[in-house]
Amino acid sequence: MNAAPVRGLLRLLIVPLIVALGVLAAGVPGAHAATDLSEVAEALRESPVYVDPAATDLLSESDAESLADRIEDADKPIFVAVLPADYPTENLFANLRTETGVAGLYGIRLGDRFDARADSAVLSNQAVDNLVTAVQGAGDPKAQLGDFVDDALRSDLGGSAPSGWSGGGGGVVVDPGALAALGAVLAAGGAGAYGLVRRNRRRREEERRAALEKLRVVVDEDITAFGEELDRLDFHPAEPGADDAMRADYERALDAYEQAKTSMAAARRPEDVRAVTEALEDGRFSLAQLAARREGRPMPERRAPCFFDPRHGPSVADATWSPDGGTPREVPVCAADQARLADGRDPMVREVETASGGRRPYWEAGPAYGPWAGGYFGGGILPGLLIGTLLGSMMATPSYAAMYGAGYGDFGGYEGGDVSGADFDTDDFSGGFGGG
């Protein structure tokens, strides 16, 4: 069966009901057109072509579907947005690229104007300029966008398409009449293809659930450890000497504890765990502030938690350390581990269960621990800490981003896919909207 009808069928079947209702409403006279850039980006993460409800006169539904099929068949990160002429153009490309979070080639038809930008790792600026120049003479949006996509596919594009395109619905307007044809398409063989996609999605979801359950053990230990710290804390808001600042620190720590428990209870995917460890890191820093106020010490600077075990609390210094067979690097350490390293002893390392059944340091465990570590250390510091480790190597692959999302923040090296902000250079997307 031709891939394009199957993909059209999948869009109709898998797209969330809320998106479908919004799309249908776009065709109703007087319906409000949703043109917020975050909505455009959300649609592009589901489908490579977005047509704004206020710009449907520029590109029909069938033409948009056809264009999307060509891009998806090539499995390349090409994004096309068709927007009304009065859409704000200031920082349009940079903001759209930031919202999608996916490295790729972005083409925008704005009324009768057209322009494009790309991550340099996907296509050079000169090549993008050549593509734009080549299609400027085509006034018809269908012809112009078709030529742009065809020329781009003949170029040496880097990266790969987001996995979300396999069943998304995006911002392409769906004709309600197409729903009536659903039964006929199923009878022609679409049901088998849809069943395959459903099985693949089910398998991925089962893998995510298994990874989340593995993480749940570690995170519950973290939450319990922080709760025990609060229980041991010899502080009462009404005690002599307590002031408003101390009470505020204490309240923030309590709130962080409750937030961590709530976030973990609501977690459905491994990447959701990042919110839990972020809350715990905030709570431990609040306790460090409270301790400094009570003891009359200078207020601590905001530092990452101890690399070897975030339960040790905020770090006090950086120390040189290298993993087995790896290169030395500076890692944040607590006072106790700083002393151990200075004495030539091993630090107290957080160990977790691995696939082989043994307990190993978390940086030698499976990829599910990336979101857990990302919540503690954020995207800025984590890549340098994990270079040369098993977890670091896993996190830099497209399969990791497709499975675990952005739970670890920006990690270098990955281009394309569902989350790929690592090679995002705002200079690639700078400049005003040109063309026309």
Side-chain angles (χ1 to χ4, degrees):
M1 183 178 178
N2 189 294
V6 173
R7 198 159 25 243
L9 165 69
L10 297 181
R11 287 197 182 95
L12 293 173
L13 289 171
I14 301 174
V15 67
L17 178 61
I18 185 66
V19 175
L21 292 175
V23 165
L24 296 177
V28 179
H32 178 66
T35 57
D36 184 81
L37 201 61
S38 63
E39 296 184 38
V40 177
E42 181 179 0
L44 288 175
R45 286 193 295 268
E46 297 293 334
S47 173
V49 178
Y50 172 83
V51 180
D52 189 278
T56 52
D57 59 317
L58 297 177
L59 193 68
S60 69
E61 171 210 336
S62 60
D63 291 337
E65 289 280 358
S66 176
L67 193 61
D69 289 339
R70 283 149 64 185
I71 296 172
E72 291 177 0
D73 286 341
D75 193 34
K76 289 297 182 180
I78 301 176
F79 301 86
V80 174
V82 181
L83 305 174
D86 59 352
Y87 201 93
T89 59
E90 184 176 3
N91 299 322
L92 176 57
F93 281 100
N95 292 340
L96 180 59
R97 170 60 175 81
T98 300
E99 290 284 349
T100 60
V102 183
L105 170 63
Y106 290 74
I108 298 179
R109 172 82 185 206
L110 200 69
D112 61 356
R113 297 181 293 163
F114 177 79
D115 205 350
R117 300 283 192 278
D119 289 81
S120 56
V122 174
L123 197 64
S124 69
N125 291 339
Q126 184 58 58
V128 175
D129 289 343
N130 292 341
L131 288 176
V132 173
T133 300
V135 300
Q136 286 298 351
D140 175 64
K142 175 183 176 182
Q144 184 181 61
L145 297 177
D147 289 348
F148 169 72
V149 169
D150 290 342
D151 292 347
L153 292 176
R154 286 191 290 268
S155 304
D156 186 19
L157 285 176
S160 60
S163 62
W165 286 358
S166 62
V172 177
V173 177
V174 178
D175 185 353
L179 294 172
L182 180 57
V185 176
L186 288 173
Y194 179 50
L196 177 62
V197 172
R198 289 186 63 187
R199 286 193 295 273
N200 289 336
R201 284 177 173 266
R202 189 180 303 114
R203 175 182 56 79
R204 287 196 298 269
E205 287 305 315
E206 289 173 354
E207 291 173 355
R208 288 190 178 101
R209 282 195 294 270
L212 178 61
E213 291 309 307
K214 180 186 296 184
L215 267 179
R216 192 181 301 278
V217 175
V218 176
V219 177
D220 286 346
E221 291 175 355
D222 287 6
I223 295 174
T224 299
F226 185 56
E228 291 172 348
E229 287 183 54
L230 291 171
D231 288 340
R232 291 192 301 266
L233 185 63
D234 183 22
F235 175 77
H236 190 278
E239 70 180 29
D243 58 23
D244 289 343
M246 294 179 190
R247 284 186 281 270
D249 292 334
Y250 183 62
E251 287 296 326
R252 282 194 296 270
L254 292 177
D255 290 345
Y257 178 58
E258 294 301 326
Q259 180 60 50
K261 292 192 296 182
T262 300
S263 297
M264 194 61 224
R268 296 294 178 267
R269 300 160 68 94
E271 54 265 37
D272 296 338
V273 167
R274 177 169 182 165
V276 182
T277 50
E278 282 178 342
L280 293 174
E281 193 271 333
D282 285 340
R284 286 198 169 93
F285 180 68
S286 295
L287 289 185
Q289 289 180 304
L290 175 58
R293 295 186 203 277
R294 297 180 74 193
E295 297 168 14
R297 294 184 284 106
M299 294 301 294
E301 63 174 310
R302 186 66 182 261
R303 290 180 56 88
C306 179
F307 171 73
F308 299 111
D309 190 342
R311 293 177 301 180
H312 295 171
S315 60
V316 298
D318 293 328
T320 302
W321 170 84
S322 59
D324 292 340
T327 57
R329 77 286 311 274
E330 295 291 310
V331 297
V333 296
C334 64
D337 282 329
Q338 182 186 31
R340 291 187 185 96
L341 292 173
D343 293 341
R345 294 179 293 155
D346 291 332
M348 296 294 290
V349 173
R350 179 65 180 276
E351 293 185 342
V352 297
E353 291 294 335
T354 61
S356 62
R359 291 186 68 84
R360 300 290 298 166
Y362 70 85
W363 56 83
E364 295 180 8
Y369 294 99
W372 173 85
Y376 280 126
F377 300 104
I381 188 175
L382 191 58
L385 300 180
L386 293 178
I387 288 174
T389 67
L390 177 63
L391 178 56
S393 299
M394 289 179 171
M395 288 166 60
T397 64
S399 59
Y400 176 88
M403 180 64 70
Y404 300 103
Y408 54 84
D410 266 353
F411 197 83
Y414 176 44
E415 302 164 13
D418 289 338
V419 179
S420 54
D423 51 8
F424 178 34
D425 184 345
T426 54
D427 289 342
D428 295 336
F429 290 81
S430 62
F433 194 94

